[in-house]
Amino acid sequence: MSTENNSEHLFKNSVKILSDLISFKTISGEDNNSLIDYCDNILKKLGASSFRTFDDEKKRVNLFATIKAKNLSEKKPIILSGHTDVVPVSKGWTTDPFEATIKDNKLYGRGSCDMKGFIACALAFAPIYSKSNLDRDIHFSFTFDEETACQGAPILIEELKKRNIKDGICIVGEPTNMKIIDAHKGCYEYTTHFKGLAGHSSAPHKGVSAVEYASRYVGKLIELREKLKERSPKDSIFDPPHSTLSIGGIFGGIAHNVIADKCHVNWETRPVVKEDAVFLNSELDKYANEILLPEMKKVYPQSSIEKNIIGEIVGFDREHKSDACELISSLTGDNSRQVVSFGTEAGLFQEIGISTVVCGPWIN
Ligand SMILES: [Zn+2]
């Protein structure tokens, strides 16, 4: 087969696989077993070995598969990493989101770019890996629920640590217009629930207003936000340069004249360094447990403040020398390095010592 035919075949196969992948309705939180079976089957036929990790109900699955090197060298193994979930479908689709539709040389479908496209390309290339004289292992890492604060990847990472797979190069194929991304902030999301005592507004001393305590909590968050600005690292590569904090919503209360017994606050922070998240949480928890809660309990001992972690996506830190970035540079000829404002699984791989880069398809 000529090179041209080869690349044409690769292209057609990528589109075929991508179309199949889009047809699995793997919205975050939902069952992704059949998509994982599909990917695992393709790889197994090519001689790959694999293992799976799950959520508690085994409803959602991570797959880690390996095509072994034939001539093992000093070269680090490569992990091709993609998430299998897609965000829910918004209004405005003119085609079926779960059926790949090609129009004007563009393929439309939920997740076509973010990031089933990358998974399809990795799978289409797998036969080439299995036939060639590989001098390093190639791993395929397909995770669940990345879009909802990376719920799947940490379970896989734990297993990688157990199996001593802590060295290598990881390419996270999120859409970056093929630019080399070597850093992003963390993204930590929380919901804090306040429970007080309902009562009539004419006797405020007999109730515990969850709404009022939640407001003071929000006030503390805003105060701490200013402290985060002061902590901004001098050489920060991010815009804005400091860790940010945002209140997404405050929900509570039923009427003007009723003391609200329940309220919850949705908030998130995007730390530039992990220490900022630790600082913020410890100051906040101290304020809630040592100031607010004792006051609430004085009136109503069953009062509570409960902070739930929705997700804590660790930041992805720039490294002075990165094997992963150098590998991509050698392939694309692009020596630039950029940062992005969205979170990915990159920081999780980096945390266990795997050199990681985010680089993937064009968005438009
Ligand atoms: Zn993504």
Side-chain angles (χ1 to χ4, degrees), residues 53 62 81 141 143-146 149-160 345 348-349:
T53 47
N62 297 311
S81 159
S141 165
T143 56
F144 66 84
D145 286 16
E146 187 269 353
C150 291
Q151 293 181 35
I155 300 169
L156 168 68
I157 297 281
E158 275 310 304
E159 187 62 26
L160 293 185
E345 295 173 346
L348 292 164
F349 286 100

Side-chain angles (χ1 to χ4, degrees), residues 83 114-115 146-147 174-175:
H83 61 80
D114 182 7
M115 58 185 299
E146 187 269 353
E147 299 284 7
E174 292 278 359

Side-chain angles (χ1 to χ4, degrees), residues 82-83 85-87 113-116 146-147 172-175 342-345:
H83 61 80
D85 61 316
V86 296
V87 292
C113 192
D114 182 7
M115 58 185 299
K116 291 177 172 176
E146 187 269 353
E147 299 284 7
V172 179
E174 292 278 359
F342 54 84
T344 74
E345 295 173 346

Side-chain angles (χ1 to χ4, degrees), residues 147-215:
E147 299 284 7
T148 43
C150 291
Q151 293 181 35
I155 300 169
L156 168 68
I157 297 281
E158 275 310 304
E159 187 62 26
L160 293 185
K161 280 201 278 189
K162 275 187 211 152
R163 290 172 185 248
N164 218 19
I165 304 173
K166 291 185 285 193
D167 188 27
I169 289 172
C170 176
I171 302 167
V172 179
E174 292 278 359
T176 68
N177 292 349
M178 291 308 285
K179 292 291 174 202
I180 296 172
I181 306 303
D182 69 344
H184 60 66
K185 292 181 185 180
C187 180
Y188 294 32
E189 291 182 355
Y190 305 91
T191 295
T192 309
H193 295 270
F194 294 80
K195 275 196 193 124
L197 180 64
H200 194 271
S201 61
S202 58
H205 56 288
K206 288 185 185 161
V208 176
S209 169
V211 164
E212 289 180 19
Y213 282 98
S215 304

Side-chain angles (χ1 to χ4, degrees), residues 121-135:
C121 292
L123 290 174
F125 220 89
I128 297 175
Y129 295 134
S130 88
K131 267 183 243 150
S132 61
N133 212 7
L134 279 185
D135 56 1

